[in-house]
Amino acid sequence: MDAHIGQRTRLRMLRPRVLLQVVSAMSIAALCGYFLRSPSPVGHWDSADGEAEFFTAYDLAFESMPEPADTMDVRSSFGVVRVYRFAGTGEASPMLLLPGTASSTPVWADNMPSLLAQGDVYTLDLLGEPGRSIQASPIADAEDEAEWLAETITAIPENSVNLIGLSLGGWTAANLAIRRAQHVKTLTLVDPVYTFDNLPMETILRSIPASVPWLPKSARDAFNSYTAGGIEVEDMPVADMIEAGMHHYTMKKPAPTRITEQQLSDLSMPVLAIIAGRSVMHDPKTASATARRALGTEAVHVYEDASHAITGEYPDEITGDIGDFIARP
């Protein structure tokens, strides 16, 4: 109980910059959209006004990011993928960051300073999600998800990266590593969904009100508080961006398929699993046990006091883990 209260106190004292990442946990509510979706070829905006509202919020949230060294729109078989490159000061080989669902590049703002001290960083907006990537063809299954990401990585100079995925981005990263291993130098999975355990039924049920666009903002705020360990949520640019995306963009991708323990065991590249001890996106004990069986004990780092908003709660600590991991011979 004292540890739980201490964590809540710490979260309330976080700098506004850190809170940007904590609030990004509300993007997880969009997972429920997979279960409420209606048939349609590709993701789309509900109106020109809704799209403009999102990108106004996106641009404002992006002001917390460093200035990109390059901005690329990579054409894949399934649409155009927006990729940013940020020039780092360290000598580590490049990292590619994949955000959670509905959250896009600006959710990494809190982590960028310490990551850039390691080396160059690429980010992208997931295809078929709110952001500056534009889906043009249906994404039918996990193979299609791997294909568009592999084609995107092929278009950047390095062709193989230290791949880092958060939440649904973690699933997307693991899915690529299973199917296109040649593009993944190392794999870091930060509290990934559908990877080490299934999504709990309570979380699915709690996310339903947050996924219904005509319900009030308070429904999304309540779910965000639930995923972030009970912290009170204040309005801020990244939250406005996520909410606008959830409100005005309809995703038409299939639900992620659970990655099997055997698939994880068969991965050929080094893997680091970072699990939040208070995550509500899986049972942390089950997820940790699965990860240890599949990857080995040393590959699993559990942040016992962290919620699913782990990258905002412990940005420098996580970057330290990632830096040590990718620097190993």
Side-chain angles (χ1 to χ4, degrees), residues 212-296:
V212 179
W214 57 84
L215 288 181
K217 180 178 181 294
S218 59
R220 290 178 285 276
D221 287 346
F223 186 71
N224 175 41
S225 178
Y226 169 66
T227 63
I231 186 174
E232 294 181 6
V233 178
E234 299 177 3
D235 291 333
M236 53 189 64
V238 73
D240 292 340
M241 175 192 72
I242 294 166
E243 185 176 16
M246 292 171 67
H247 188 191
H248 295 295
Y249 190 86
T250 302
M251 290 185 285
K252 297 300 179 183
K253 301 194 297 181
T257 53
R258 170 72 187 278
I259 292 173
T260 68
E261 192 169 327
Q262 186 61 54
Q263 287 174 317
L264 293 167
S265 298
D266 289 343
L267 289 172
S268 58
M269 72 291 297
V271 183
L272 172 64
I274 297 175
I275 295 174
R278 295 171 54 233
S279 177
V280 296
M281 306 314 293
H282 44 224
D283 177 73
K285 291 184 178 179
T286 299
S288 300
T290 301
R292 290 187 177 110
R293 286 194 305 270
L295 305 174

Side-chain angles (χ1 to χ4, degrees), residues 29-204:
L31 284 170
C32 183
Y34 288 113
F35 301 98
L36 299 177
R37 66 194 186 281
S38 59
S40 180
V42 297
H44 58 274
W45 298 101
D46 63 356
S47 67
D49 288 344
E51 182 179 7
E53 179 184 331
F54 171 82
F55 284 117
T56 296
Y58 181 105
D59 291 343
L60 185 59
F62 205 96
E63 292 178 3
S64 296
M65 295 287 290
E67 185 70 23
D70 294 295
T71 299
M72 297 163 278
D73 289 316
V74 177
R75 186 170 298 278
S76 75
S77 299
F78 298 90
V80 177
V81 182
R82 169 59 60 90
V83 180
Y84 301 98
R85 182 180 73 85
F86 301 88
T89 57
E91 298 182 356
S93 55
M95 294 164 275
L96 173 60
L97 312 183
L98 306 184
T101 187
S103 55
S104 63
T105 286
V107 302
W108 292 107
D110 211 35
N111 306 97
M112 292 300 292
S114 49
L115 286 173
L116 288 172
Q118 306 284 345
D120 283 3
V121 174
Y122 289 91
T123 69
L124 59 75
D125 294 350
L126 295 176
L127 194 61
E129 308 255 351
R132 294 202 177 276
S133 295
I134 303 171
Q135 186 182 3
S137 298
I139 295 172
D141 52 26
E143 177 64 25
D144 288 351
E145 290 278 13
E147 181 61 20
W148 74 255
L149 183 52
E151 291 175 359
T152 302
I153 295 175
T154 300
I156 66 178
E158 289 76 16
N159 198 36
S160 179
V161 295
N162 295 298
L163 192 58
I164 302 166
L166 167 66
S167 191
L168 184 66
W171 178 90
T172 306
N175 181 63
L176 179 75
I178 290 165
R179 292 172 167 81
R180 305 287 191 279
Q182 68 272 24
H183 297 299
V184 185
K185 185 173 183 178
T186 67
L187 177 65
T188 299
L189 307 175
V190 184
D191 214 44
V193 297
Y194 297 106
T195 304
F196 302 123
D197 191 19
N198 293 317
L199 198 68
M201 182 55 64
E202 180 181 2
T203 298
I204 294 173

